[in-house]
Each structure stands twice: as structure tokens, then as C-alpha cells.
Amino acid sequence: MEFVTYEVNDRVGIITINREKALNALNSQVLDELSEAFDGVDLSEIRCLILTGAGEKSFVAGADIGEMSNLSKSEGEAFGKKGNDLFRKIETFPIPVIAAVNGFALGGGCEISMSCDIRICSDNAVFGQPEVGLGITPGFGGTQRLARLVSPGMAKQLIYTARNIKADEAYRIGLVNKVVSAEELMPEALKMAAGIAANAPIAVRACKKAINDGLQTDMDKAIVIEEKLFGSCFETEDQKAAMANFLEKDKEKKLKVVPFKNM
Ligand code: DAK
């Protein structure tokens, strides 16, 4: 792949968008390669992913404006679908995905970070949805995910004004989970990912599915989703081993790697 790299650090996979000259802007090729990288993750080994951008200046400075500038209506729809399919793939990916936001996260960059489960950013990060200044709406789910993540009022303010916000404000409104220095960004993301990877993998996946699916429905149905996933954990070796370890007061025993199944 030309613009995306993938590496493995113990049980954590790191996907890097590597198109630094264009501040990691998302063109069709980057979207295709990202999709391929996610498809290639070995889910029997990897328990958490980190998505980041190459360099210290930009995570992703948006969809590629050069490529978008000459799109026809049908081409625009096709480009939107390519992005939306990828972003849903990330959002519903069986294991957690942490966005390590190393600088600009504008337009499609902010949107791809919001399709991840958790966002950690460097203190030079800048978030925003500048689309209305370019004559378009956010096209990769920004209107939907920002409103759900922060609040409808704050999302409307940011989207209508096209105003960029710095890391501290992104943290204050709940768009990012944590702000660290640029040097600390990857160590912090890896530390959080390792913490997730140390827990029972099927239970972690079930939590992601319960939260995601539950948010799409009303509370009565959402609670049933949780019940079913909770019940399914009692068919796992992790549940039996982890509870036995607790009862035997042997907290040092490690959880086994259990392949993902039936979820
Ligand atoms: N696309 C293409 N190239 C970009 C880019 C982008 N989004 N952002 C930066 N670059 C390129 C620049 O053109 C420049 O290339 P060269 O001139 O060196 O060849 C290089 O990256 C360095 O950028 P600058 O020279 O501009 O660097 P500065 O430090 O001066 O400024 C900046 C950094 C991030 C403030 C600035 O580059 C900037 O404003 N970039 C654009 C940010 C932006 O507006 N992003 C949102 C794009 S709109 C849809 C699907 C998707 C979308 C919408 C609809 N559907 C199909 C419905 C998504 C839309 C967006 O994401």
C-alpha cells in the first residue's frame, strides 16, 4: 500500500495514514487502502487498534479537496459512500479503535476520528467541520456523529459556523477523551490500548457491540441487547477463568487469548 501502513505491537495493531505531503488528506486511494488495512487485521491475535496520521502536524486535514472539486453529483455520492462504508466499518469493527489525533482533524479528519471508539489528541490538535465554508455539508457522517458525541446544540454551532477548535476546547466539550503532549501521544495511546488488550477480549467486544447497538434503539430494546451479550459471556472460558481466579484470590493469572466467535 502506498498511503497506509500497518504494524503490530504485541496485541495492538497500529494503522497509520501516511500521506504527509497533503497533511494526510483522504483521497479515494487512501480510503481504499484504509479499508484494506482494516480487512487485513488478524482478529484472532489483535485486541485493540490505534489509528493515527504520519508526521507531527496533521492527523487528517479532511477529504481531498482537489479530488472533490470536480466531482459530478453521482461521483460525489459514490465518494461519500466509499467514505461512509469505511467509517461504518471502523465504527462497527469488532475490537476497539483508538484515534491518536496528532494535529489537524478537519472535515473528514474529524469525522474519521469520530468513527473510532476513543480519541486521544496531542495539544497541537485542531478539530473542526469546515464544510459549509466550502459549499458542502459534512459528507462522512459529521452531522450525525458530532451531534451524538457532544450535543446537538454544540454540533450545530460548530458545523454552522465552520469554526475550528483547539485541543482544550475539544476536551471540554467531550469530543476527545484525553489531551497529551505530542511526544506523549503514541505512548499514551499504546498504554490505553494495552490496558484494553489485557481484559477479556470477548467481553470487550461485547461491550462495544452493546454500546453501539444500544445507542441505535430505545432503552427497552437496548437493555435486551445488553442482556443477550451479558449472557453470551457465560459461554466463554475467560468468564470462567477470571471469576475462578478472583475466588481463588489469584489475580496474577493472565486471561487467555480466545478467538472471537458468534458475535
Ligand atoms: N485536501 C487536499 N490537500 C490538502 C488538504 C485537503 N483537505 N489539506 C491540506 N492539503 C495540502 C495543501 O494543498 C498543501 O499541498 P501543497 O500545496 O504543498 O501541494 C499541503 O497539504 C500543506 O497544506 P498547507 O500549505 O495549506 O498547510 P498550512 O499549514 O498552511 O495549513 C491547514 C494547514 C490544515 C489549515 C490547511 O491546509 C487547510 O485549511 N486545509 C484544508 C482543511 C479543510 O478544509 N478540510 C476539510 C475538507 S472538506 C462528502 C464527502 C466528504 C466530505 C464532504 C462531503 N460527500 C461526498 C457528500 C468531506 C469534506 C471535507 O473533509
Side-chain angles (χ1 to χ4, degrees):
M1 286 192 271
E2 188 182 353
F3 295 132
V4 173
T5 62
Y6 179 61
E7 59 192 295
V8 171
N9 183 318
D10 197 8
R11 290 172 296 191
V12 175
I14 304 165
I15 295 177
T16 305
I17 302 165
N18 195 350
R19 195 186 171 217
E20 214 179 323
K21 277 188 188 160
L23 304 185
N24 303 321
L26 303 172
N27 62 13
S28 298
Q29 188 179 341
V30 174
L31 294 174
D32 285 339
E33 291 185 10
L34 277 172
S35 186
E36 203 180 319
F38 276 87
D39 289 344
V41 173
D42 179 355
L43 287 169
S44 67
E45 292 292 334
I46 300 301
R47 295 185 180 191
C48 188
L49 283 177
I50 297 171
L51 177 67
T52 193
E56 287 174 6
K57 183 171 171 181
S58 180
F59 171 66
V60 171
D64 190 297
I65 298 172
E67 183 175 332
M68 279 192 299
S69 61
N70 294 317
L71 294 183
S72 64
K73 180 171 179 283
S74 62
E75 288 167 340
E77 281 172 12
F79 186 65
K81 179 165 168 37
K82 195 188 275 283
N84 279 325
D85 287 351
L86 168 68
F87 289 19
R88 275 299 278 165
K89 182 180 287 189
I90 297 172
E91 191 166 45
T92 60
F93 206 65
I95 58 176
V97 184
I98 298 172
V101 179
N102 54 309
F104 292 113
L106 301 176
C110 185
E111 289 168 308
I112 199 169
S113 81
M114 291 191 291
S115 71
C116 298
D117 296 272
I118 293 167
R119 281 148 295 285
I120 306 177
C121 75
S122 52
D123 51 17
N124 68 331
V126 177
F127 293 81
Q129 296 288 163
E131 285 86 350
V132 294
L134 292 164
I136 53 174
T137 65
F140 290 151
T143 55
Q144 303 310 307
R145 293 195 180 92
L146 192 57
R148 283 165 170 78
L149 251 180
V150 293
S151 66
M154 189 58 80
K156 286 175 176 175
Q157 183 186 336
L158 290 173
I159 291 169
Y160 300 167
T161 62
R163 185 172 68 88
N164 291 343
I165 56 171
K166 293 183 179 166
D168 55 348
E169 190 172 352
Y171 178 72
R172 188 176 59 73
I173 65 172
L175 179 53
V176 297
N177 299 62
K178 192 161 190 176
V179 183
V180 294
S181 66
E183 304 75 58
E184 276 304 303
L185 180 63
M186 281 314 286
E188 186 62 34
L190 282 162
K191 189 171 144 202
M192 189 183 286
I196 292 170
N199 288 318
I202 292 179
V204 170
R205 291 173 189 219
C207 290
K208 174 165 178 171
K209 191 167 169 53
I211 294 168
N212 278 355
D213 293 358
L215 283 172
Q216 304 306 315
T217 188
D218 61 72
M219 186 58 88
D220 288 324
K221 294 196 188 87
I223 281 300
V224 174
I225 291 171
E226 189 186 78
E227 277 166 20
K228 300 266 179 235
L229 288 160
F230 175 73
S232 72
C233 292
F234 290 85
E235 291 185 325
T236 67
E237 289 176 42
D238 280 342
Q239 176 271 327
K240 292 181 197 347
M243 290 194 181
N245 293 347
F246 176 82
L247 294 173
E248 288 163 19
K249 304 205 181 302
D250 190 352
K251 292 183 188 159
E252 293 306 308
K253 277 190 191 158
K254 293 275 178 281
L255 292 165
K256 291 180 187 166
V257 178
V258 184
F260 171 67
K261 54 190 173 194
N262 302 331
M263 204 170 280

